[in-house]
Amino acid sequence: MTSEIERDGGAARPGRSQSRLSRRGFLGAGAGALATLPALPVAAAEPAMSGMNHAHGPAAQPSAGAAAVPPGDGRLLRVPFTAGEPLVEPEVRRAVDGVLATTLRAAYAYRDVGGYRLFVRTYEGTVPGPTLRLAPGDTLKIDLVNDLPPNRDPMPAYIDQPHRLNTTNFHFHGAHVDPGGISDNVMRSMEPGLTHKIEITLPEDHPRGSYWYHPHHHGSADVQLASGMVGAIVIEGDFADVPEIAAARERVLVLSEIVYDGFGMIEGFETLFPETAARFFTINGQRAPEIDMRPGEVQRWRLFHTGYQDDFFLKLDGHTLQAVARDGMPLPRMGTREIRSDADATDPDAILIAPGQRIDILVKAGAPGVYDLKGLPYDQGYPSPTGLFARIRVAGEPMDMALPAALPPAPFPDITDAEITGRRTLTFSAITPEADAAGHWSEFSFLIDGKPFDMNRVDQRVKLGAVEEWTVVNAHRDDHIFHIHVNPFQLVAVNGAKLTEPVWLDTAVLPRGGSITFRSRFLDFTGTFMLHCHMMNHEELGMMQVVEVYEA
């Protein structure tokens, strides 16, 4: 019999580790404390290929008890690795007769990636998890089996810190669906050792496009997402009426950044919190795979940024990445520019994608050859990671494929001044140590309207049917990533300057020292849900609010 535990408000949160790497990669402990730590192995140099430009300090000791250390002496294991293996797409699970009924098992698994054997939390033993394909009106039914080990840490009095790393739940990122009950309810606590029912029904008029799923349990979501508990969702049929896009070969590309400690695991926040902690990039769980194209061929790439923290500034040598949709919704025109807070990031052929965002791009292959898809330098308040994502091999018989001259309209009409029923302003900020680089992660707090997250406090109450304009201000020196559940929004201004072409999104870059202004219709669903920074380190340390939509 299926068993379900629902905690009051649903959030259990894992306890603090005692040692960590600091924000800039130094040990937060003093010399005396360092002398008391056991000697830990430091990972050997990366395999001989392009990696990230981040430096790393000594490997962190895992927190007590979340999982057994892998067999052997606990050292990070090297395994054979060859760059340039063909890109492999995730397993596909598809709805039948209007229902996608499936099981997702959350469990530890060994994972060989990029020359290392890691032992991390996964869905179905793979990273990423299976791709789920549905249509508007379909119902997604999941038995989520939590086979992670029991938590060994108690519930902390202060919840805005990592804790109880093996409690989980499920979020359908970007979906306009019911946020309550056993639907897309991120207040649920899905404890280890039990099977939990999820049932999410898409409205008949739900926008078609690229979405994704991941855990969202406050306290454990960051560690679980960084481990690779992520997967793509495609609501099929977008661009079916655009012949040039319909004819293009479609690829699902799940982008991520790899982190691990000296044991090849992620068992403490100290492994994640330095903002230069990422080791290298992956696509579909592969390091530096090869993507094949023919000269003149147009391919459609669905890009999913499932990384836990950093922006990716993507560039394909010798080619232009032509964006046609963001967050599952068509852009006003092909190549519409995204928000860039780095004044030096001017390359017109590159594209910025932030954590949580999805971008559908068209790529038209050039002359035969091998081209690098890579992350370029970008300043998001600290340096974004750089390095190789994949190599594109263009070879074979030429094809004569065209790019579209125009894109279909957005799924929603523009929100006019006359529709607005209310306005509000939110402010994102942070409390940081005096000596940032020497600070322990527990010295950082990330706030919205001067307050850390409290699951028992409603921060924004909105009447069902309201149409509001929100301005979100960033008072911090780093960029943040604004995301709100349930209802998409139309971005209308950045840093006070109106956009000539407003864009529909559910996740947007919030520039440091600046602001975004958007409009949203709060339709169809009442209940409580979240808005937060999708840089998951920041969300875990308090940068989240509860929104309640109520019926008058």
Side-chain angles (χ1 to χ4, degrees):
M1 179 177 179
T2 300
S3 186
E4 186 71 62
I5 287 182
E6 297 298 336
R7 196 168 289 162
D8 183 19
R13 339 277 166 202
R16 297 184 181 180
S17 301
Q18 299 305 308
S19 64
R20 70 175 287 276
L21 291 169
S22 78
R23 184 171 184 269
R24 300 298 179 189
F26 302 108
L27 281 176
L34 184 62
T36 67
L37 296 176
L40 296 173
V42 178
E46 303 286 353
M49 60 171 295
S50 176
M52 289 186 175
N53 66 352
H54 297 329
H56 305 286
Q61 185 179 13
S63 304
V69 174
D73 64 3
R75 293 178 182 272
L76 180 63
L77 298 177
R78 292 298 197 93
V79 294
F81 164 64
T82 303
E85 293 292 332
L87 178 74
V88 177
E89 295 202 22
E91 173 198 352
V92 175
R93 299 181 183 179
R94 192 182 300 272
V96 177
D97 297 328
V99 177
L100 199 170
T102 191
T103 297
L104 284 180
R105 177 175 175 263
Y108 277 92
Y110 284 103
R111 178 184 176 208
D112 290 353
V113 56
Y116 302 95
R117 177 156 295 165
L118 309 181
F119 189 58
V120 292
R121 298 165 178 85
T122 69
Y123 288 126
E124 301 289 274
T126 65
V127 177
T131 297
L132 309 179
R133 287 185 170 263
L134 307 98
D138 285 353
T139 297
L140 174 63
K141 295 183 177 182
I142 298 173
D143 284 343
L144 196 152
V145 181
N146 188 347
D147 272 349
L148 295 169
N151 294 301
R152 295 179 63 180
D153 56 321
M155 183 74 174
Y158 181 67
I159 65 169
D160 291 324
Q161 58 174 312
H163 60 270
R164 301 181 65 80
L165 301 182
N166 294 328
T167 301
T168 194
N169 61 22
F170 182 91
H171 177 45
F172 189 148
H173 184 116
H176 178 63
V177 294
D178 187 349
I182 63 169
S183 185
D184 189 30
N185 183 353
V186 299
M187 290 285 199
R188 297 175 71 185
S189 293
M190 300 182 180
E191 299 291 354
L194 299 171
T195 296
H196 307 264
K197 293 285 187 183
I198 299 164
E199 185 169 323
I200 301 172
T201 297
L202 296 172
E204 293 286 348
D205 60 352
H206 196 287
R208 305 169 188 266
S210 301
Y211 301 84
W212 66 297
Y213 62 92
H214 61 83
H216 207 296
H217 196 271
H218 188 57
S220 62
D222 194 3
V223 163
Q224 292 178 9
L225 191 151
S227 297
M229 289 179 63
V230 300
I233 300 177
V234 177
I235 302 179
E236 297 184 312
D238 53 333
F239 296 111
D241 296 331
V242 181
E244 297 88 351
I245 299 178
R249 180 180 179 182
E250 179 183 310
R251 293 186 183 269
V252 167
L253 304 183
V254 179
L255 311 181
S256 193
E257 50 190 336
I258 300 300
V259 287
Y260 49 81
D261 63 17
F263 298 86
M265 304 171 72
I266 304 174
E267 295 304 312
F269 204 54
E270 62 276 7
T271 307
L272 303 179
F273 188 73
E275 288 171 332
T276 53
R279 309 283 187 136
F280 53 86
F281 297 127
T282 58
I283 299 183
N284 296 348
Q286 296 173 263
R287 184 178 186 179
E290 186 171 284
I291 300 173
D292 64 285
M293 297 187 72
R294 290 165 58 184
E297 179 186 9
V298 173
Q299 290 191 2
R300 176 191 182 175
W301 295 355
R302 295 185 186 266
L303 304 181
F304 303 79
H305 190 326
T306 67
Y308 74 102
Q309 182 70 10
D310 301 309
D311 294 347
F312 302 155
F313 192 37
L314 298 176
K315 166 80 171 182
L316 177 57
D317 289 343
H319 295 76
T320 299
L321 302 177
Q322 301 279 8
V324 295
R326 280 187 171 267
D327 294 349
M329 293 164 280
L331 290 168
R333 57 182 174 80
M334 190 168 62
T336 299
R337 176 65 65 87
E338 70 280 3
I339 299 173
R340 296 183 186 179
S341 61
D342 183 352
D344 295 328
T346 58
D347 191 326
D349 296 329
I351 197 164
L352 183 72
I353 184 169
Q357 291 184 326
R358 293 84 61 212
I359 306 179
D360 288 45
I361 63 173
L362 299 180
V363 179
K364 181 166 183 174
V370 178
Y371 304 90
D372 286 354
L373 177 65
K374 56 196 177 186
L376 296 180
Y378 186 83
D379 180 6
Q380 59 183 98
Y382 64 89
S384 301
T386 61
L388 183 68
F389 273 97
R391 289 196 167 99
I392 286 65
R393 183 174 297 275
V394 180
E397 288 296 316
M399 301 179 72
D400 185 15
M401 298 183 70
L403 295 170
L407 300 177
F412 314 109
D414 288 346
I415 298 177
T416 64
D417 293 346
E419 281 188 80
I420 301 300
T421 60
R423 289 178 169 84
R424 62 186 77 195
T425 299
L426 287 68
T427 300
F428 283 39
S429 63
I431 298 173
T432 60
E434 183 175 348
D436 191 0
H440 188 273
W441 60 258
S442 61
E443 299 177 65
F444 291 80
S445 293
F446 294 90
L447 314 173
I448 303 179
D449 294 336
K451 296 174 288 188
F453 173 66
D454 182 344
M455 59 179 289
N456 297 311
R457 181 189 70 229
V458 173
D459 300 282
Q460 309 293 337
R461 295 192 78 239
V462 185
K463 184 178 176 181
L464 182 68
V467 182
E468 296 199 353
E469 180 178 279
W470 293 19
T471 296
V472 186
V473 176
N474 185 354
H476 189 216
R477 62 176 174 269
D478 293 346
D479 293 349
H480 292 288
I481 311 301
F482 178 87
H483 173 57
I484 189 167
H485 296 193
V486 182
N487 298 288
F489 56 83
Q490 188 175 35
L491 185 70
V492 296
V494 177
N495 296 334
K498 289 187 177 181
L499 301 183
T500 56
E501 296 176 314
V503 178
W504 286 93
L505 302 167
D506 59 59
T507 307
V509 172
L510 178 56
R512 56 191 178 277
S515 67
I516 59 173
T517 301
F518 65 82
R519 296 174 172 182
S520 186
R521 300 180 177 101
F522 292 84
L523 303 176
D524 302 323
F525 303 107
T526 59
T528 55
F529 52 89
M530 306 300 185
L531 67 83
H532 60 93
C533 178
H534 219 287
M535 299 167 75
M536 295 303 291
N537 287 352
H538 298 174
E539 185 269 356
E540 213 76 290
L541 294 180
M543 194 168 264
M544 183 158 64
Q545 286 191 341
V546 176
V547 181
E548 180 185 22
V549 174
Y550 65 95
E551 194 162 11

